[in-house]
Amino acid sequence: MSTKSSIEGPLSFEGTLPEHVAIIMDGNGRWAQQQGKLRTFGHKAGVKAVRASVSYARKNGIKALTLFAFSSENWKRPKDEITILIELFNLVLSSEIKKLNKNNIRLKVIGDLSAFDQKLVDKIRKAEFLTKHNTSLTLNIAANYGGRWDIVTAAQRIADDVKQGLVKLEEITEDIFDKYTCMSDLPALDLVIRTGGDHRISNFLLWQCAYAEFYFCETLWPDFDEQKFENAIVDFCQRQRRFGQTGSQVSPDNQGQG
Ligand code: IPE
Ligand code: IPE
Ligand code: MG
């Protein structure tokens, strides 16, 4: 597929666009500290990059965008920072939901919400309900999410269904297991972007990453914008995904790529 970017300018790219992109939005704290400011200033500045990413994804026909907002390990941070991160999530949810809905975006939140205040959980559920029939993009926010938590929760739910006789042990395949994980209703994960210069997964989508492509960039999250997103997409489009096959099996015309 040949695709023209939605960003103004000469850039256009060839290749198959990712349907589902996930982003580890890292580097807020360092961005603020570089300017002699408090880390929380960086979290606030990061909201602009979230808006830009959502807009880019929607305009370019990406079907699902999963954003890592708060990990199950982020509870280890100073209490003040945690409070501000949750408050910010709450505020942004209130201020953006109308616009998301107007732009035909479906909002979903994944993660262990039991750790959050009931009022916030109600607000999340209301926002999900309001936007549930929207079709342009699914914006999937990972909050108090951990990849290991996702896998363990799926295993517990399957065990429960086995106990109740709804599933037979010998019927459990990878596809069945997948249906019990958090993102089973979304297209398979194609691309994971991590900003902030570190090359690790930090307990993000462990099950779903099995055959995702990875793109790491030095940009600190508040400086990520539509052009930076496009750079990642262009890079993705140039890759050959082999899924265990040989290069010539995947692309008989292009024998050179492995
Ligand atoms: C990512 O930025 C945001 C969250 C983890 C919530 P960081 O806060 O991790 O920023 P750095 O990595 O310390 O710069
Ligand atoms: C990953 O970033 C989590 C989020 C972006 C929400 P961290 O900053 O928490 O990851 P580590 O601690 O560097 O692995
Ligand atoms: Mg970090």
Side-chain angles (χ1 to χ4, degrees):
M1 179 172 63
S2 172
T3 314
K4 183 93 179 82
S5 153
S6 70
I7 297 182
E8 307 256 285
L11 195 59
S12 69
F13 41 85
E14 297 276 331
T16 307
L17 277 171
E19 280 190 42
H20 187 170
V21 179
I23 309 183
I24 303 175
M25 310 183 288
D26 196 28
N28 293 349
R30 280 164 286 163
W31 184 88
Q33 282 164 335
Q34 280 174 4
Q35 302 169 55
K37 298 201 167 119
L38 292 175
R39 293 176 51 81
T40 49
F41 183 76
H43 297 316
K44 287 176 192 151
V47 176
K48 193 166 147 245
V50 171
R51 285 198 196 99
S53 306
V54 172
S55 166
Y56 182 85
R58 185 177 66 87
K59 286 190 280 183
N60 286 285
I62 291 168
K63 285 278 140 219
L65 177 67
T66 296
L67 300 179
F68 204 8
F70 191 88
S71 77
S72 45
E73 286 72 33
N74 287 147
W75 295 107
K76 295 177 193 163
R77 294 194 175 197
K79 203 168 175 303
D80 288 358
E81 183 169 339
I82 296 171
T83 307
I84 286 186
L85 278 168
I86 296 174
E87 248 175 49
L88 192 63
F89 177 46
N90 201 336
L91 280 172
V92 172
L93 190 60
S94 302
S95 65
E96 303 292 311
I97 189 64
K98 270 197 190 140
K99 192 173 138 205
L100 292 176
N101 195 32
K102 203 177 109 218
N103 285 333
N104 196 20
I105 295 170
R106 174 168 80 120
L107 181 84
K108 233 180 93 84
V109 179
I110 57 168
D112 182 3
L113 299 191
S114 68
F116 296 128
D117 181 275
Q118 191 55 44
K119 264 194 180 160
L120 175 57
V121 178
D122 291 345
K123 192 186 280 188
I124 291 169
R125 296 300 178 220
K126 229 172 118 182
E128 288 178 329
F129 186 76
L130 175 73
T131 60
K132 72 175 179 181
H133 295 303
N134 291 347
T135 52
S136 75
L137 166 75
T138 297
L139 173 60
N140 188 34
I141 307 289
N144 192 22
Y145 177 87
R148 288 181 168 182
W149 166 84
D150 194 357
I151 295 168
V152 169
T153 306
Q156 285 174 338
R157 291 175 54 217
I158 294 190
D160 199 43
D161 280 358
V162 170
K163 208 161 73 183
Q164 291 187 51
L166 298 170
V167 180
K168 289 199 184 87
L169 193 60
E170 58 277 15
E171 282 171 5
I172 302 170
T173 59
E174 291 181 10
D175 284 344
I176 301 269
F177 190 91
D178 186 76
K179 292 199 187 337
Y180 287 82
T181 61
C182 273
M183 304 202 316
S184 59
D185 58 331
L186 299 181
L189 183 61
D190 294 307
L191 172 65
V192 178
I193 299 171
R194 182 175 186 136
T195 63
D198 285 313
H199 296 188
R200 57 175 170 262
I201 193 73
S202 300
N203 194 19
F204 197 26
L205 304 161
L206 301 179
W207 169 265
Q208 296 85 351
C209 273
Y211 258 107
E213 296 293 320
F214 289 85
Y215 179 88
F216 299 100
C217 64
E218 294 295 320
T219 309
L220 301 174
W221 178 249
D223 290 329
F224 195 78
D225 57 16
E226 299 204 20
Q227 185 60 63
K228 299 263 162 58
F229 200 158
E230 178 132 300
N231 295 345
I233 298 299
V234 170
D235 194 278
F236 173 90
C237 288
Q238 288 163 357
R239 299 183 191 186
Q240 185 189 53
R241 300 177 80 190
R242 293 189 286 279
F243 300 98
Q245 293 183 284
T246 66
S248 42
Q249 278 180 299
V250 174
S251 170
D253 304 337
N254 192 348
Q255 308 260 337
Q257 288 203 46

